[in-house]
Amino acid sequence: MPTSTHFDVLILGAGAAGLMCAFEAGRRGRTVAVLDHAERAGKKILISGGGRCNFTNLNTRPENFLSENPHFAKSALSRFTPEDMIALVEKHNIRYHEKTLGQLFCDRSAQEIVALLERECNEAGVRILTGTTIESVTKSEAQHFAVATSRGLFTSDSLVVATGGLSIPKMGATGLGYEIARQFGLNIIPTRPGLVPFTLSTDDLQNWADLSGLSAEVIAADSTKKPRATFREKMLITHRGLSGPAILQISSYWNPGDPIQLDLAPNQQVFSHLLAPTARRDTTAATNALRSILPARMAERWVALNSPERWTNSALESLEATLHAWPLRPAGTEGYAKAEVTAGGVDTCELDAKTMQSRKLPGLYFIGEVVDVTGWLGGYNFQWAWASAVSAAQSA
Ligand code: FDA
């Protein structure tokens, strides 16, 4: 490797967004190199979707993303749609299926998505340089970006930052993208773990942790914002708190200290028949009613903790109401170590929505998770990675 090498486009990060951007820019005739400190490309893709990569969602809409600017993602999402991703997947003969709620997974392995990206990069003449430590990034007087690395100095006309977020540091996540943004004067929306399990207080854990492993379909709602975010999916009790899709989804909307609300029996009246004059009214009757909806031990525990002193009509009505709007105050989250994504990131006000280019510093681009656009669980985050990458590639 010569001591200084020039490319039209340098991309930092060989993840989903970086690889997609690389071959799209390469196809346009640009010379492209991708630098990554990991020993191989696309590591997070390999572990995604339980090893099967939920690579897109058929129902992708701008409403499925959180951002300080909810409109920002629209342009990119319309330039590269789930159908475009499906066409690419089919071009590579990758078999896939819809699991639920529009979520598309590989039939065989997430490795096929990484192979797709690497093959496309290869055909577009992209150099992927893994095992490369990035030491510094500067912008020279000659309008070139200069990236000093363990493999020597690289210069480029355009620099695309695709280094992802802080989630799963064990997989090589770092804050490099945010540092580069700050270095060039771009604002960062404070980051927080998203799609992450909740931890519970010691008191709540005493009540629930021994039921770890039980799950139920619930509606999880964020009770503090308007309009309220609500997700009807599974919730899972863990030995540290709560997880499962409904909880991961609502965690992205949660602010420390806030309560969440759980409807434990969506669209069902559970205790109404106990209001009949001849009906038995006690803990056993209430538990039996709830057992038809929740796992038996969860039903017993919930009724034991919420039983009224006297089983009056109004007490029963209030029990029903609590079942559908059960307030819980998470103690915290399991943090970046367990978060699927990082919410917050490079402020979208700093970027052009069509190209992902910095408004302050032409030639500098941010794509994928490093940007303050965070998808719901279910293939939306990859769709954002692909779409933002393609937008940048058309300009870089
Ligand atoms: P990504 O993290 O993929 O890539 C960033 C790259 O930058 C990495 O290769 C990293 O090594 C490199 N890098 C970081 N710091 C660096 C530094 N200092 N120097 C050099 N290189 C550096 N989403 C989805 O839509 N469907 C799914 O099924 C799943 N499943 C899933 C499972 C798990 C366990 C996790 C943790 C996450 C998911 N996700 C997901 C989220 C999805 O993986 C994520 O949104 C995308 O990978 C983001 O793509 P990026 O390319 O932006 O970052």
Side-chain angles (χ1 to χ4, degrees):
M1 171 76 52
T3 49
S4 173
T5 315
H6 188 82
F7 289 89
D8 293 332
V9 183
L10 266 182
I11 299 177
L12 307 184
L19 294 174
M20 179 66 111
C21 183
F23 73 75
E24 285 285 344
R27 278 181 187 169
R28 290 181 55 235
R30 314 287 277 150
T31 57
V32 183
V34 190
L35 310 178
D36 200 302
H37 66 165
E39 72 286 359
R40 63 163 303 175
K43 276 174 77 177
K44 225 178 234 180
I45 301 172
L46 293 175
I47 59 158
S48 69
R52 293 243 161 83
C53 187
N54 177 192
F55 58 83
T56 191
N57 192 301
L58 293 171
N59 307 321
T60 303
R61 309 263 182 285
E63 295 74 40
N64 306 122
F65 297 84
L66 291 86
S67 172
E68 288 288 302
N69 175 0
H71 302 293
F72 181 80
K74 282 182 184 168
S75 174
L77 292 173
S78 68
R79 274 151 202 275
F80 189 84
T81 63
E83 288 68 33
D84 293 322
M85 187 59 194
I86 291 166
L88 187 60
V89 162
E90 289 180 349
K91 174 183 161 195
H92 287 260
N93 297 317
I94 299 174
R95 293 212 312 261
Y96 63 92
H97 60 280
E98 180 182 346
K99 196 167 169 191
T100 174
L101 302 170
Q103 302 168 5
L104 299 191
F105 285 76
C106 298
D107 284 358
R108 289 181 292 248
S109 164
Q111 165 59 37
E112 291 180 295
I113 299 292
V114 178
L116 172 164
L117 296 165
E118 286 179 331
R119 216 173 303 141
E120 290 286 346
C121 281
N122 194 28
E123 279 166 20
V126 171
R127 305 258 330 252
I128 302 175
L129 299 165
T130 53
T132 306
T133 306
I134 293 159
E135 289 157 1
S136 68
V137 175
T138 48
K139 178 94 169 43
S140 72
E141 295 296 319
Q143 298 303 307
H144 287 152
F145 289 94
V147 180
T149 79
S150 53
R151 290 177 186 258
L153 189 70
F154 293 83
T155 57
S156 64
D157 301 331
S158 296
L159 182 71
V160 181
V161 180
T163 44
L166 298 168
S167 317
I168 324 272
K170 269 202 299 198
M171 300 289 300
T174 73
L176 180 66
Y178 311 120
E179 285 161 33
I180 294 171
R182 277 195 203 99
Q183 176 190 335
F184 290 112
L186 276 66
N187 186 44
I188 304 286
I189 303 298
T191 59
R192 60 185 195 281
L195 300 178
V196 62
F198 283 135
T199 54
L200 291 178
S201 67
T202 316
D203 285 352
D204 282 333
L205 273 185
Q206 264 170 8
N207 290 331
W208 295 103
D210 63 314
L211 303 189
S212 157
L214 295 185
S215 66
E217 184 173 308
V218 303
I219 298 177
D222 153 60
S223 49
T224 54
K225 297 188 192 66
K226 285 202 172 56
R228 289 191 343 151
T230 60
F231 295 93
R232 182 173 178 160
E233 290 191 62
K234 283 250 153 95
M235 174 189 83
L236 171 74
I237 300 177
T238 72
H239 63 286
R240 300 182 65 184
L242 297 176
S243 188
I247 296 298
L248 299 183
Q249 299 278 33
I250 211 67
S251 74
S252 297
Y253 289 81
W254 182 73
N255 292 315
D258 286 351
I260 57 162
Q261 249 179 28
L262 297 172
D263 181 346
L264 296 179
N267 297 337
Q268 306 204 53
Q269 288 296 303
V270 180
F271 305 119
S272 51
H273 66 279
L274 303 190
L275 289 167
T278 54
R280 177 176 164 180
R281 292 181 178 193
D282 58 14
T283 306
T284 309
T287 302
N288 285 341
L290 192 53
R291 278 169 102 160
S292 62
I293 289 155
L294 293 181
R297 288 167 62 220
M298 208 193 281
E300 279 162 29
R301 186 66 50 85
W302 193 86
V303 173
L305 291 168
N306 292 281
S307 274
E309 279 179 17
R310 292 181 56 238
W311 293 85
T312 59
N313 282 2
S314 71
L316 270 172
E317 278 156 10
S318 136
L319 193 67
E320 184 81 50
T322 308
L323 185 69
H324 296 290
W326 185 42
L328 254 189
R329 202 176 288 278
T333 73
E334 295 209 24
Y336 290 115
K338 291 283 165 64
E340 273 201 18
V341 287
T342 301
V346 176
D347 190 340
T348 56
C349 294
E350 302 280 8
L351 306 175
D352 175 64
K354 282 198 185 124
T355 62
M356 304 291 132
Q357 188 169 197
S358 161
R359 294 179 187 281
K360 286 194 180 119
L361 189 59
L364 180 64
Y365 297 77
F366 291 86
I367 58 173
E369 198 176 317
V370 74
V371 179
D372 172 36
V373 173
T374 305
W376 290 1
L377 186 76
Y380 300 102
N381 283 297
F382 278 135
Q383 190 56 37
W384 168 248
W386 316 133
S388 57
V390 169
S391 289
Q394 287 165 356
S395 160

